[in-house]
């Protein structure tokens, strides 16, 4: 999803039920509106609000009446999960659309089950994961990235992140040698736990052992990757932290979402950097 869409959906989530409802002046349907395409988040977590967005290609419409469309989401891979229906509407807060995009329809949705959810009638799909899922994270290559090499692509990035998560969750410092560079720039920030930062893999091992004894596990679910040249790939790793000494956020969930800026080099596929912060929600 483009940053502008993310921003307006964040505003919608904050406003919630206290915001005055718009009265759509028109309804978008497959017959009346062509060219709508999915532009939402690639991954969502079960039980968490996520932004859903569709955009229509065309010349920029300076003044357009509010619109609404009824969306039906169906889940592939879910067990006994009924379709989910909701309305997408013209954003209450206007934002600058990318060139070639005429207008947008957005909503915030909570998905009830793991699986791949597809949308009717406009198409598109989103992967929904449990907060404690051990499935591989979804790797999305940034649109501005140079092409990833065949031997250093999305699968290799996925494997590198999985190796680190498995080493963290095993509590065995020795496993980190298969995931982290010896001089890794590593840090974990966020209240209420003390900040930990080091540039030595052995010290990361001590920290991992401490967190294992505290009952913490991490579960990556989304990775944004971008090649920056010189065989280096920058990553943004989104993951969930579960630990008894990590109080839930403002939403009351028993886990905390986090994101880490990271980097790896294709010559060894070891993480050279992993700087994580808790989300404030």
């Amino acid at each position: 999803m483009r940053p502008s869409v993310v921003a307006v959906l964040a505003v919608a989530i904050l406003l919630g039920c206290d915001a005055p409802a718009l009265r759509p002046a028109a309804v978008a349907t497959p017959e009346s509106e062509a060219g709508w395409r999915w532009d939402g988040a690639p991954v969502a977590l079960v039980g968490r609000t996520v932004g859903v967005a569709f955009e229509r290609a065309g010349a920029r419409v300076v003044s357009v009446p509010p619109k609404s469309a009824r969306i039906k989401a169906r889940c592939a891979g879910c067990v006994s999960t009924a379709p989910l229906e909701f309305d997408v509407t013209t954003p209450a807060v206007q934002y600058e659309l990318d060139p070639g995009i005429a207008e947008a329809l957005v909503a915030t949705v909570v998905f009830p089950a793991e699986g791949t959810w597809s949308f009717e009638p406009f198409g598109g799909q989103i992967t929904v994961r449990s907060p404690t899922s051990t499935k591989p994270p979804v790797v999305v290559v940034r649109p501005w990235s140079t092409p990833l090499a065949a031997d250093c692509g999305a699968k290799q990035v996925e494997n590198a992140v999985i190796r680190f998560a498995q080493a963290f969750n095993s509590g065995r410092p020795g496993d980190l040698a298969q995931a982290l560079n010896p001089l890794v720039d590593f840090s974990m920030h966020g209240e209420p736990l003390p900040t930990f930062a080091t540039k030595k893999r052995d010290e990361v091992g001590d920290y991992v052992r401490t967190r294992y004894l505290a009952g913490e596990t991490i579960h990556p679910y989304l990775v944004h990757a971008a090649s920056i040249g010189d065989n280096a790939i920058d990553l943004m790793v989104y993951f969930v932290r579960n630990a008894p000494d990590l109080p839930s956020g403002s939403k009351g969930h028993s886990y905390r979402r986090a994101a880490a800026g990271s980097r790896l080099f294709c010559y060894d596929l070891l993480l050279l950097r992993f700087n994580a912060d808790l989300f404030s929600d």
Side-chain angles (χ1 to χ4, degrees):
M1 184 184 296
R2 295 173 176 81
S4 55
V5 180
V6 172
V8 75
L9 288 175
V11 172
I13 293 171
L14 290 174
L15 290 177
C17 296
D18 295 330
L22 289 176
R23 185 178 298 277
V27 176
T29 68
E31 293 77 21
S32 64
E33 298 287 355
W36 289 96
R37 67 185 185 189
W38 165 249
D39 191 48
V43 181
L45 293 177
V46 173
R48 294 300 295 254
T49 303
V50 66
V52 169
F54 297 89
E55 293 181 342
R56 183 174 67 82
R60 175 72 184 277
V61 180
V62 178
S63 179
V64 60
K67 293 183 179 180
S68 175
R70 190 69 172 171
I71 301 295
K72 178 177 286 188
R74 300 181 185 275
C75 180
C78 299
V79 179
S80 301
T81 300
L84 181 66
E85 295 193 38
F86 56 90
D87 291 324
V88 288
T89 60
T90 302
V93 179
Q94 296 300 312
Y95 57 93
E96 184 177 352
L97 295 170
D98 288 345
I101 302 300
E103 54 186 323
L105 295 173
V106 302
T108 54
V109 180
V110 176
F111 291 94
E114 265 194 300
T116 300
W117 291 77
S118 57
F119 304 105
E120 301 170 0
F122 295 147
Q125 65 181 34
I126 186 171
T127 299
V128 179
R129 293 280 171 83
S130 161
T132 56
S133 172
T134 57
K135 295 178 182 178
V138 175
V139 177
V140 178
V141 180
R142 301 281 195 182
W144 59 83
S145 170
T146 58
L148 302 186
D151 59 349
C152 188
K155 187 62 179 179
Q156 286 74 20
V157 168
E158 173 192 302
N159 290 339
V161 173
I162 290 174
R163 281 196 300 270
F164 170 68
Q166 290 175 339
F168 193 104
N169 295 341
S170 74
R172 295 189 291 269
D175 291 351
L176 291 171
Q178 307 300 318
L180 299 181
N181 186 284
L183 300 178
V184 66
D185 177 3
F186 183 93
S187 60
M188 296 284 267
H189 297 266
E191 296 293 339
L193 300 180
T195 294
F196 172 80
T198 185
K199 293 184 181 293
K200 297 180 180 179
R201 187 171 63 193
D202 289 346
E203 292 181 356
V204 178
D206 295 338
Y207 175 79
V208 165
R209 181 63 179 171
T210 299
R211 296 309 301 153
Y212 172 78
L213 293 175
E216 178 168 353
T217 56
I218 64 172
H219 306 277
Y221 58 91
L222 173 63
V223 179
H224 285 290
S227 173
I228 58 173
D230 295 326
N231 286 319
I233 300 178
D234 272 356
L235 311 175
M236 181 59 69
V237 181
Y238 296 90
F239 60 104
V240 167
R241 299 181 66 181
N242 278 273
D245 60 352
L246 192 65
S248 61
S250 60
K251 303 297 183 182
H253 297 281
S254 60
Y255 57 88
R256 295 293 295 275
R257 295 188 303 143
S262 187
R263 177 176 295 178
L264 59 79
F265 285 98
C266 291
Y267 61 80
D268 61 8
L269 294 174
L270 300 178
L271 297 182
L272 181 66
R273 183 166 61 87
F274 194 87
N275 304 124
D277 285 279
L278 283 175
F279 286 168
S280 59
D281 60 0

